[in-house]
Amino acid sequence: MKNRLSGWGIGSLLWAYLGMTLAPFLWLIVTSFKPSREIFMAPFALPDRATGANYVNAWRVGQLGESFFNSVVITVLVVLATLALSSTAAYALARFGLRRAKALQFYFLAGLMIPIQLSVVPLFFEMKALGLLNSRLGLGLVYLATSLPFAVFLLVGFFRSLPNSLREAAFLDGAGEWTVFSKIMLPLARPGLATIAIMTFLGVWNEYLVAFVLLGGGADQALTTLPLGLANLTQVGQFRTDFGLVFAGIVIVMLPTLIVYVTLERHLTKGLKMGANKG
Amino acid sequence: MVRRVVILLFCLFHCSAPASAQPIEVSVFEGGEGLGFYRRIAQEFKDMVPTTPVRLEGDPRIADRLRIRILEGNLPEVTNASINAWSLIEHGELLPLDPWLDGPSWDGSTTWRETFSPGSLDAFTHQGKTYGVPLVYVVWSVYYDKAMFRRHGWERPKTWPEFLSLCQEISEVDLAPVAFQGRYPYYAKALVQNTYYQRAGPTAYAAQEALEPGSFHNDAMVETLSWLERLSGKYFQKGSLGMSHTEAQLEFFQGRAAMLFCGSWLFSEMQDNIPSNFELGAFPLPLPVSKFADPQASYATSGSWFVFKNSANPEAGVEFLRYLTSSKVAGAFASERGITVAVKGANAALHPMMVDVAHQLDGVRRTFGSPAGEVIPGMDQVWNDVLGKLMAGRLGAVEAVQELETGSVRARQRYEQPDRIEVRHIGKTTAFVAFVLGGLLLGWRRPSCSRATTGAGHHGRNLSFLGPALFVYTVFFVLPSLVAFLVSLTRWDGLGTPRWVGVANFSRLLLESDAFWVALQNNLYLMVVIPAIVLPLSLLLATALYHGVWGQRFFRIAFFFPNLLGVAGILLWQQLYNPQGGPINAILTALGMASFEGFAWLSPDHLYTALVPMGIWGACGFNMVLFLAAMQSISPDLFEVADLYGASAWEKFRYVTLPMIWETLIAATIFMLIGGMKAFEAIWLLTNQSPNTETHVVGTLMIRSMFVEQRIGQAAAIACLLFATVLVGSLFVHRFSGGEEAGQP
């Protein structure tokens, strides 16, 4: 249904909301090029001399390079692991006709209800006992565990919607279970996988609380993730009254997320559309 | 063969190399001045004692990090962070320094103990043993610009009445009399305690420190707080309650406020921001008119350095401290950093800008000050809350005194009788329990029998497909969550062994704790107010986009941006809300709403109002995209049929669109409710990682319990209550929306 709405009201509402959404970003970027002293003097003035010094400082002082590296490594590995584990598990639950399929599905679904805050306290001590505190591996495992519920939930729906005839035909041709899964079903589930990839990426990249608890509040600067690094940078910036640090830091942290999103947006929408169909 | 030789050589090399020196770790509070001085000292120390290199770690939030390290058992040798030393002393984690204190000082002229100013070692002396040594020795003063005072012919006041009338004079020339570091109410505590000491005398002061009954509830305290009330009500700079310490101090140095209360670290902290024509001056805190008033007594606090007994090399740590507090180093510190030190004679070298403070110290014969860290925990939060409310004008002096007294009584009771629970919230508790039970009864459904087909005989396959996911999920998510229930039934400080207390934590949280209910209320606010605006708005926007405005894809992408940002987004809004220089206040004042000039959006009074636009900005995009996707999957046939019946746009929406996207709507509502309950980052970061009692949400309260109060059992109990609320809330919404559980065909 695409009748052109000539009403000024709706159109201008959209543009107004768009303006309000994007204005803070604009302000952020412009201000990040002002020298620190000028920043809160006149919020809307353009910088006298645009300077990239804040970016250099933020990168150096906040050791954002390290945080960046850690965040990238952890996020990429967690996304890949989530895709691998959730797709196999979801496929099994959807297609193997297991007796306990419903119960297991509910088991995974329950994870959506559990706020991570519930597990954070014992997680700290569990990881301490396993020697996985202050380690990327430990953090990655926790992120993987918390990404699985949503991933499994979405993919079960996907796999259920794929026609069973394909699978049966493949068996008749002599294909094994794994071949059917990897060569036929998985490619068909691509929109769902893309959605999971993006949602997991977002969930992990921006995650703060668990990283804070398991990485010692960011004590070891070589071992922070970006959100931790940025929060710490803000504290340092405040204490040094160097607000330029803060602004540049925020932009540096935001940029990759925005770029990834713009690139993969199409898949997200498709995936969400299909997910909406299930519900 | 070659490989074996290489390995052999490698081993030989390693074995014969001299044992590499094990560095000692020094964890330093890094304020505005950076770590330069400490790095130099560390280098000098290493040059003198080559077997002990020093690894320096510095951060403004060093105390938080250290608390985690303590729980981990990963201890540095030495630190000056403001940790809860008393609990560590009780557990035997801190090294008593007396053997070294009674030994020679670094330059050998006297004992180490004798090198310290009288009284400066008292802060951490317990049962005859001393656990901390001070470098920094801070006095509080009122700072001002001498040039400004000269220009206006103002005189330095000595008493409170003189001080207030000076403030009046200053306000009449359109200048803010006092800049104040309002985001941290404890900046007023020194002022209050100094005034109380001078008004009521040393004995009364000591009683208040010990939280003795009636030590707050008296006329002297009422008078003391009235001075503060008058000052903050009329003479604090506008917006100061939302300003951080450096922001307020900047206002002072940039000439927009005439005076400032601060400790003698001020110069050091703000060194890079002092204009060249600024003549820093200081005078002692104003005295009340009283027979106890004693200009020779001063409020002073020492910064203490501690040594951890169970670190790798504590003796080397002590050596480092001996060097750090030697006259030479202390003198260099005073001269370069401009902070007063506790080492006798070293203040003679104090940086010239701080000459007034040096004079102030010269005239001091007696010092008093609150020992850092609390013997009886919990009172710091009470002070913070009460002072904050008093200065915001929400409490009068009399009520403030009452709240302080009540708070101190409760803190004392909890300390002396940890198992006693005072029942204060029986009604709310009953309602809560009824809510949870009701939800569980309504929402519980027996899992339906599944159609068992060809499950048998495929164990290997099942295991390989399902195994990994199940394992990781169970071990790293489900298991800890279950353990949380167990931990919530204990009392544990993370260091010793847990003690079983049954439901005591829950009783205390539900029946006794004011803080928990305030936090829950805040969560409810977030769960109701924000979705109430976001859901209709995003529905509206989605509808608009659905009807094919130009650039649909562009809008979709742009609207989703805020949702992507997490921490970065929150910090961005923190800058937007800056009282003096932020664009929001700038726009509002430009639009003519003068009351928004310097408006402190992030002060406790207004924080939750400030969260609303932020929440809308962050959540609308996601929901809009979700709704749009749902709308676009509605079959067009339905609309054609509606058209045939001559339905209006509204009717089409009401009878076609809405029912078809109903389940998505419900799912979105549930997500927002869960999000409101789980709120953490926003409040945590916007309050600079220290919310006060009225701004806490359940999530931040939990982290405070775990890392600040070190009450692990209580933290777990809070988490359980949070979980219960989320679960039951979702069950209710689900039941009363009549929808099928998503994902189950």
Side-chain angles (χ1 to χ4, degrees), chain A residues 122-181:
Chain A
L123 253 183
F124 177 84
F125 293 100
E126 178 181 333
M127 299 310 251
K128 178 178 171 188
L130 291 173
L132 287 175
L133 274 182
N134 291 333
S135 77
R136 284 177 282 246
L137 176 63
L139 191 59
L141 285 171
V142 175
Y143 282 153
L144 175 59
T146 50
S147 311
L148 285 174
F150 181 72
V152 167
F153 157 65
L154 199 71
L155 286 179
V156 164
F158 258 95
F159 284 124
R160 280 245 168 83
S161 72
L162 298 178
N164 211 16
S165 46
L166 267 172
R167 188 162 175 255
E168 285 166 7
F171 277 138
L172 284 174
D173 279 344
E177 193 72 72
W178 178 256
T179 325
V180 173
F181 172 70

Coordinates of all heavy atoms in Angstrom, one line a residue, chain A residues 122-181:
Chain A
P122 N 27.9 -14.4 40.5 CA 28.5 -15.7 40.6 C 29.5 -15.9 39.4 O 30.5 -16.6 39.6 CB 27.4 -16.7 40.5 CG 26.2 -15.9 40.8 CD 26.4 -14.5 40.3
L123 N 29.2 -15.3 38.3 CA 30.2 -15.4 37.1 C 31.6 -14.9 37.5 O 32.5 -15.6 37.2 CB 29.7 -14.5 36.0 CG 29.1 -15.2 34.8 CD1 28.8 -14.2 33.7 CD2 30.0 -16.3 34.2
F124 N 31.6 -13.8 38.3 CA 32.9 -13.3 38.7 C 33.7 -14.4 39.4 O 34.9 -14.7 39.1 CB 32.7 -12.1 39.6 CG 34.0 -11.5 40.1 CD1 34.7 -10.7 39.3 CD2 34.5 -11.9 41.4 CE1 35.9 -10.1 39.8 CE2 35.7 -11.4 41.8 CZ 36.4 -10.5 41.1
F125 N 33.0 -15.1 40.4 CA 33.7 -16.1 41.2 C 34.0 -17.3 40.4 O 35.0 -18.0 40.6 CB 33.0 -16.3 42.5 CG 33.0 -15.1 43.4 CD1 31.9 -14.2 43.4 CD2 34.1 -14.8 44.1 CE1 31.9 -13.1 44.2 CE2 34.2 -13.7 44.9 CZ 33.1 -12.8 45.0
E126 N 33.0 -17.7 39.5 CA 33.2 -18.8 38.7 C 34.5 -18.7 37.8 O 35.3 -19.6 37.6 CB 32.0 -19.1 37.8 CG 32.1 -20.3 36.9 CD 30.9 -20.5 36.0 OE1 29.8 -20.1 36.4 OE2 31.0 -21.0 34.9
M127 N 34.5 -17.5 37.1 CA 35.7 -17.3 36.3 C 37.0 -17.2 37.0 O 38.0 -17.6 36.5 CB 35.5 -15.9 35.5 CG 34.3 -15.9 34.6 SD 34.2 -17.4 33.5 CE 34.5 -16.7 32.0
K128 N 36.9 -16.7 38.3 CA 38.1 -16.7 39.1 C 38.5 -18.1 39.3 O 39.7 -18.4 39.2 CB 37.7 -16.0 40.4 CG 38.9 -15.9 41.4 CD 38.5 -15.1 42.6 CE 39.5 -15.3 43.7 NZ 39.1 -14.7 45.0
A129 N 37.6 -19.0 39.7 CA 37.9 -20.4 39.9 C 38.5 -21.0 38.7 O 39.4 -21.9 38.8 CB 36.7 -21.1 40.4
L130 N 38.0 -20.7 37.5 CA 38.5 -21.3 36.3 C 39.7 -20.6 35.8 O 40.3 -21.0 34.8 CB 37.4 -21.2 35.2 CG 36.2 -22.1 35.5 CD1 35.1 -21.8 34.4 CD2 36.6 -23.6 35.4
G131 N 40.2 -19.5 36.5 CA 41.3 -18.8 36.0 C 41.1 -18.0 34.7 O 42.0 -17.7 33.9
L132 N 39.8 -17.7 34.5 CA 39.5 -17.0 33.2 C 39.1 -15.5 33.5 O 38.6 -14.9 32.6 CB 38.3 -17.7 32.6 CG 38.6 -19.0 31.9 CD1 37.3 -19.6 31.4 CD2 39.5 -18.8 30.8
L133 N 39.5 -15.0 34.7 CA 39.3 -13.6 34.8 C 40.3 -12.8 34.0 O 41.4 -13.4 33.8 CB 39.4 -13.2 36.3 CG 38.2 -13.4 37.2 CD1 38.6 -12.9 38.6 CD2 37.1 -12.5 36.7
N134 N 40.0 -11.6 33.7 CA 41.0 -10.8 33.0 C 41.5 -11.5 31.7 O 42.7 -11.5 31.4 CB 42.2 -10.4 33.8 CG 41.8 -9.5 34.9 OD1 40.9 -8.7 34.8 ND2 42.5 -9.5 36.0
S135 N 40.6 -12.2 31.0 CA 41.1 -12.9 29.8 C 40.0 -12.7 28.7 O 38.8 -12.6 29.0 CB 41.3 -14.4 30.0 OG 40.1 -15.0 30.1
R136 N 40.5 -12.5 27.5 CA 39.6 -12.4 26.4 C 38.8 -13.6 26.2 O 37.6 -13.6 25.9 CB 40.4 -12.0 25.1 CG 40.9 -10.6 25.1 CD 41.7 -10.3 23.9 NE 43.0 -10.9 24.0 CZ 44.1 -10.1 24.1 NH1 44.0 -8.8 24.0 NH2 45.3 -10.7 24.2
L137 N 39.4 -14.8 26.5 CA 38.7 -16.0 26.3 C 37.5 -16.1 27.2 O 36.4 -16.4 26.8 CB 39.7 -17.2 26.6 CG 39.1 -18.6 26.5 CD1 38.6 -18.8 25.1 CD2 40.1 -19.6 26.9
G138 N 37.8 -15.8 28.5 CA 36.7 -15.8 29.5 C 35.5 -14.9 29.1 O 34.4 -15.3 29.1
L139 N 35.8 -13.7 28.7 CA 34.8 -12.8 28.3 C 34.1 -13.3 27.1 O 32.8 -13.2 27.0 CB 35.4 -11.4 28.1 CG 34.5 -10.2 27.9 CD1 33.6 -10.1 29.1 CD2 35.2 -9.0 27.6
G140 N 34.8 -13.8 26.1 CA 34.2 -14.3 24.9 C 33.2 -15.4 25.2 O 32.2 -15.5 24.6
L141 N 33.6 -16.3 26.1 CA 32.7 -17.4 26.4 C 31.4 -17.0 27.0 O 30.4 -17.5 26.7 CB 33.4 -18.4 27.3 CG 34.5 -19.3 26.7 CD1 35.3 -20.0 27.7 CD2 33.9 -20.3 25.7
V142 N 31.5 -16.0 27.9 CA 30.3 -15.4 28.5 C 29.4 -14.8 27.4 O 28.2 -15.0 27.4 CB 30.7 -14.5 29.6 CG1 29.4 -13.8 30.2 CG2 31.4 -15.2 30.7
Y143 N 30.0 -14.0 26.6 CA 29.3 -13.3 25.5 C 28.6 -14.4 24.6 O 27.4 -14.2 24.2 CB 30.2 -12.4 24.7 CG 30.5 -11.1 25.3 CD1 31.7 -10.5 25.0 CD2 29.7 -10.5 26.2 CE1 32.0 -9.3 25.5 CE2 30.0 -9.3 26.8 CZ 31.2 -8.7 26.5 OH 31.5 -7.5 27.0
L144 N 29.3 -15.4 24.3 CA 28.8 -16.5 23.5 C 27.6 -17.1 24.1 O 26.5 -17.2 23.6 CB 29.8 -17.6 23.2 CG 29.4 -18.8 22.5 CD1 28.9 -18.5 21.1 CD2 30.6 -19.8 22.4
A145 N 27.7 -17.4 25.4 CA 26.6 -18.0 26.2 C 25.4 -17.1 26.2 O 24.2 -17.6 26.1 CB 27.0 -18.3 27.6
T146 N 25.6 -15.8 26.3 CA 24.4 -14.9 26.4 C 23.8 -14.6 25.0 O 22.7 -14.1 24.9 CB 24.8 -13.6 27.1 OG1 26.0 -13.1 26.5 CG2 25.0 -13.8 28.6
S147 N 24.6 -14.8 24.0 CA 24.1 -14.6 22.6 C 23.2 -15.7 22.1 O 22.4 -15.6 21.2 CB 25.2 -14.3 21.6 OG 26.1 -13.3 22.1
L148 N 23.5 -16.9 22.7 CA 22.8 -18.1 22.1 C 21.3 -18.1 22.2 O 20.6 -18.5 21.3 CB 23.4 -19.3 22.8 CG 24.8 -19.7 22.3 CD1 25.3 -20.9 23.1 CD2 24.8 -20.1 20.8
P149 N 20.7 -17.7 23.4 CA 19.2 -17.7 23.4 C 18.5 -17.1 22.3 O 17.7 -17.7 21.6 CB 18.9 -17.0 24.7 CG 20.1 -17.2 25.6 CD 21.3 -17.2 24.6
F150 N 18.9 -15.8 22.0 CA 18.2 -15.1 20.9 C 18.4 -15.8 19.6 O 17.6 -15.9 18.8 CB 18.6 -13.7 20.9 CG 17.9 -12.8 19.8 CD1 16.6 -12.5 20.0 CD2 18.6 -12.5 18.7 CE1 15.9 -11.8 19.0 CE2 17.9 -11.7 17.7 CZ 16.6 -11.4 17.8
A151 N 19.7 -16.2 19.4 CA 20.1 -16.8 18.1 C 19.3 -18.1 17.9 O 18.8 -18.3 16.8 CB 21.6 -17.0 18.1
V152 N 19.3 -18.9 18.9 CA 18.6 -20.2 18.7 C 17.1 -19.9 18.4 O 16.5 -20.5 17.5 CB 18.8 -21.0 20.0 CG1 17.8 -22.2 20.0 CG2 20.2 -21.5 20.1
F153 N 16.6 -19.0 19.2 CA 15.1 -18.7 19.1 C 14.8 -18.3 17.6 O 13.9 -18.8 17.0 CB 14.8 -17.6 20.1 CG 13.6 -16.8 19.7 CD1 12.3 -17.3 19.7 CD2 13.7 -15.4 19.5 CE1 11.2 -16.6 19.4 CE2 12.6 -14.7 19.2 CZ 11.4 -15.2 19.2
L154 N 15.6 -17.4 17.1 CA 15.3 -16.9 15.8 C 15.5 -18.0 14.7 O 14.7 -18.1 13.8 CB 16.2 -15.7 15.4 CG 15.8 -14.8 14.3 CD1 14.6 -14.0 14.8 CD2 16.9 -13.8 13.9
L155 N 16.6 -18.7 14.9 CA 16.9 -19.7 13.8 C 16.0 -20.9 13.8 O 15.8 -21.5 12.8 CB 18.4 -20.1 14.0 CG 19.4 -19.0 13.5 CD1 20.8 -19.5 13.7 CD2 19.2 -18.7 12.1
V156 N 15.5 -21.2 15.0 CA 14.6 -22.4 15.0 C 13.4 -22.0 14.1 O 12.9 -22.8 13.3 CB 14.1 -22.7 16.4 CG1 12.8 -23.5 16.4 CG2 15.2 -23.4 17.2
G157 N 12.9 -20.8 14.2 CA 11.8 -20.3 13.4 C 12.1 -20.4 11.9 O 11.4 -20.9 11.1
F158 N 13.3 -20.0 11.6 CA 13.8 -20.1 10.2 C 13.8 -21.5 9.7 O 13.3 -21.7 8.6 CB 15.2 -19.5 10.1 CG 15.3 -18.1 9.6 CD1 15.3 -17.1 10.5 CD2 15.2 -17.9 8.3 CE1 15.3 -15.8 10.0 CE2 15.2 -16.6 7.8 CZ 15.3 -15.5 8.7
F159 N 14.5 -22.3 10.4 CA 14.6 -23.7 9.9 C 13.3 -24.4 9.8 O 13.1 -25.2 8.9 CB 15.6 -24.5 10.8 CG 17.0 -24.1 10.6 CD1 17.8 -23.7 11.6 CD2 17.6 -24.2 9.3 CE1 19.1 -23.3 11.4 CE2 18.9 -23.8 9.1 CZ 19.7 -23.4 10.1
R160 N 12.4 -24.1 10.7 CA 11.1 -24.7 10.6 C 10.3 -24.3 9.4 O 9.5 -25.0 8.8 CB 10.2 -24.3 11.8 CG 10.5 -25.0 13.1 CD 9.3 -25.8 13.5 NE 9.7 -26.7 14.6 CZ 9.8 -26.4 15.9 NH1 9.5 -25.2 16.2 NH2 10.2 -27.2 16.7
S161 N 10.6 -23.1 8.9 CA 9.9 -22.6 7.8 C 10.4 -23.1 6.4 O 9.8 -22.9 5.4 CB 9.9 -21.0 7.7 OG 11.2 -20.6 7.3
L162 N 11.6 -23.8 6.5 CA 12.1 -24.3 5.3 C 11.4 -25.6 4.9 O 11.1 -26.4 5.8 CB 13.6 -24.5 5.4 CG 14.4 -23.3 5.6 CD1 15.9 -23.6 5.8 CD2 14.2 -22.3 4.5
P163 N 11.1 -25.8 3.7 CA 10.3 -27.0 3.3 C 11.0 -28.3 3.6 O 12.2 -28.4 3.3 CB 10.0 -26.8 1.8 CG 11.0 -25.9 1.4 CD 11.4 -25.0 2.5
N164 N 10.3 -29.2 4.2 CA 10.9 -30.5 4.5 C 11.3 -31.3 3.3 O 12.1 -32.2 3.3 CB 10.0 -31.3 5.4 CG 10.7 -32.2 6.4 OD1 11.9 -31.9 6.6 ND2 10.1 -33.1 7.0
S165 N 10.6 -31.0 2.2 CA 10.7 -31.8 1.0 C 12.2 -31.8 0.5 O 12.7 -32.8 0.0 CB 9.8 -31.3 -0.1 OG 9.9 -29.9 -0.1
L166 N 12.8 -30.6 0.6 CA 14.2 -30.4 0.2 C 15.1 -31.4 1.0 O 15.9 -32.1 0.4 CB 14.7 -29.0 0.6 CG 14.5 -28.0 -0.5 CD1 14.8 -26.6 0.0 CD2 15.4 -28.3 -1.7
R167 N 14.8 -31.5 2.3 CA 15.7 -32.4 3.1 C 15.5 -33.8 2.7 O 16.4 -34.6 2.5 CB 15.2 -32.1 4.5 CG 16.1 -32.8 5.6 CD 15.9 -32.2 6.9 NE 16.6 -32.9 7.9 CZ 16.1 -33.8 8.8 NH1 14.8 -34.0 8.8 NH2 16.9 -34.4 9.7
E168 N 14.2 -34.2 2.5 CA 14.0 -35.6 2.2 C 14.6 -35.9 0.8 O 15.1 -37.0 0.6 CB 12.4 -35.8 2.2 CG 11.9 -35.9 3.6 CD 10.4 -35.8 3.7 OE1 9.8 -35.8 2.6 OE2 9.9 -35.7 4.8
A169 N 14.4 -35.0 -0.1 CA 15.0 -35.3 -1.4 C 16.5 -35.5 -1.3 O 17.1 -36.4 -2.0 CB 14.7 -34.1 -2.4
A170 N 17.1 -34.6 -0.5 CA 18.6 -34.8 -0.4 C 19.0 -36.1 0.2 O 19.9 -36.7 -0.2 CB 19.1 -33.6 0.5
F171 N 18.2 -36.6 1.2 CA 18.5 -37.9 1.8 C 18.4 -39.0 0.8 O 19.2 -39.9 0.7 CB 17.5 -38.2 3.0 CG 18.0 -37.5 4.2 CD1 17.0 -36.9 5.1 CD2 19.3 -37.5 4.6 CE1 17.4 -36.3 6.3 CE2 19.7 -36.9 5.8 CZ 18.8 -36.3 6.6
L172 N 17.3 -38.8 -0.1 CA 17.1 -39.9 -1.1 C 18.3 -39.9 -2.0 O 18.7 -41.0 -2.5 CB 15.9 -39.6 -1.9 CG 14.6 -39.9 -1.2 CD1 13.4 -39.4 -2.0 CD2 14.5 -41.4 -1.0
D173 N 18.9 -38.8 -2.2 CA 20.1 -38.7 -3.1 C 21.3 -39.3 -2.4 O 22.4 -39.3 -3.0 CB 20.4 -37.3 -3.5 CG 19.5 -36.9 -4.7 OD1 18.9 -37.8 -5.3 OD2 19.4 -35.7 -5.0
G174 N 21.2 -39.6 -1.1 CA 22.3 -40.2 -0.4 C 23.2 -39.3 0.4 O 24.2 -39.6 0.8
A175 N 22.7 -38.0 0.5 CA 23.5 -37.1 1.3 C 23.4 -37.4 2.8 O 22.4 -37.9 3.3 CB 23.0 -35.7 1.0
G176 N 24.5 -37.1 3.5 CA 24.5 -37.3 5.0 C 23.9 -36.1 5.7 O 23.6 -35.0 5.0
E177 N 23.6 -36.2 7.0 CA 23.0 -35.1 7.7 C 23.8 -33.8 7.6 O 23.2 -32.8 7.4 CB 22.8 -35.6 9.2 CG 21.9 -34.7 10.0 CD 20.4 -34.9 9.6 OE1 19.9 -35.9 9.9 OE2 19.9 -34.0 9.0
W178 N 25.1 -34.0 7.8 CA 25.9 -32.8 7.8 C 25.9 -32.1 6.5 O 25.8 -30.8 6.4 CB 27.3 -33.1 8.2 CG 28.2 -31.9 8.2 CD1 29.1 -31.6 7.3 CD2 28.2 -30.9 9.2 NE1 29.7 -30.4 7.6 CE2 29.2 -29.9 8.7 CE3 27.5 -30.6 10.3 CZ2 29.4 -28.7 9.4 CZ3 27.7 -29.4 11.0 CH2 28.7 -28.5 10.5
T179 N 25.9 -32.9 5.4 CA 25.9 -32.3 4.1 C 24.6 -31.5 3.8 O 24.6 -30.4 3.3 CB 26.0 -33.3 3.0 OG1 26.9 -34.4 3.5 CG2 26.6 -32.8 1.7
V180 N 23.5 -32.1 4.2 CA 22.2 -31.5 4.0 C 22.2 -30.2 4.8 O 21.8 -29.1 4.2 CB 21.1 -32.4 4.6 CG1 19.8 -31.6 4.6 CG2 21.0 -33.6 3.8
F181 N 22.8 -30.2 5.9 CA 22.7 -29.0 6.8 C 23.6 -27.9 6.1 O 23.2 -26.8 5.9 CB 23.3 -29.3 8.2 CG 23.5 -28.1 9.0 CD1 22.4 -27.4 9.5 CD2 24.7 -27.7 9.4 CE1 22.6 -26.2 10.2 CE2 24.9 -26.6 10.1 CZ 23.9 -25.8 10.6

